[in-house]
Amino acid sequence: MKTVYVLNGPNLNLLGTREPATYGSQTLADIEASLRQQAAAMGVEVVFRQSNMEGELVTWIQEAGEAGAPVILNAGAYTHTSIALHDAIRGAKADVVEVHLSNTHAREDFRHHSFISPVARGVILGFGARSYALALHALFPSQ
Ligand code: CA2
């Protein structure tokens, strides 16, 4: 069975509790449940994780690369700061789709730069929880 890693960075565990105007009202568990349902219908297994720790995300990207599994990555604020995540994606030759709930380009200047985008296969942002589903369909178009 094909596998996709869905990796979520810092503070995404707070989804659904605050800032619904920016991030929607779904919790991360809601997003996980909906993605699992869609992936199951496509015959794809989901490894879904969240961490507030940069190094843990690095380890998981390496794990996905070793497994040859693509990654849907919402690195949260590390998107805008993390050379370590950039290097992990490059080093692991991980096949990454960068996703964001919000349209980061329509927000503060410091959210306009991504260290992930140059090493990602593609980027999907601004569609709320649907960004994750769109990434899943982008990775597995014929399933
Ligand atoms: O839009 C996205 O998906 C982001 O990756 C979310 C990050 C933000 O730093 C990025 O610039 C864009 C923040 C996730 C934190 O989410 C919260 C949810 C509720 C309350 C507080 C934070």
Side-chain angles (χ1 to χ4, degrees):
M1 200 180 204
K2 291 175 179 160
T3 301
V4 62
Y5 278 61
V6 185
L7 303 181
N8 297 279
N11 295 309
L12 285 159
N13 54 310
L14 299 177
L15 282 182
T17 62
R18 274 164 260 161
E19 303 194 35
T22 306
Y23 298 121
S25 53
Q26 290 193 56
T27 65
L28 196 60
D30 293 334
I31 293 174
E32 177 179 358
S34 147
L35 207 66
R36 281 192 187 286
Q37 201 171 29
Q38 292 174 69
M42 297 161 77
V44 175
E45 188 187 336
V46 174
V47 175
F48 196 101
R49 296 178 186 162
Q50 186 274 332
S51 179
N52 294 325
M53 286 179 283
E54 190 176 15
E56 197 155 37
L57 294 162
V58 166
T59 298
W60 293 341
I61 288 166
Q62 292 177 0
E63 182 183 311
E66 277 160 27
V71 179
I72 296 171
L73 175 63
N74 185 349
Y78 290 145
T79 303
H80 318 299
T81 63
S82 181
I83 298 169
L85 289 180
H86 174 107
D87 286 349
I89 294 165
R90 275 172 89 150
K93 294 199 182 344
D95 182 17
V96 170
V97 178
E98 175 185 354
V99 299
H100 298 285
L101 298 154
S102 62
N103 177 356
T104 49
H105 296 289
R107 302 182 62 195
E108 304 96 321
D109 285 356
F110 64 81
R111 296 186 204 276
H112 295 182
H113 179 262
S114 167
F115 281 97
I116 309 299
S117 299
V119 285
R121 170 135 63 116
V123 183
I124 299 171
L125 51 85
F127 295 95
R130 278 193 301 142
S131 292
Y132 288 75
L134 290 165
L136 182 69
H137 286 278
L139 284 168
F140 301 98
S142 58
Q143 260 80 29

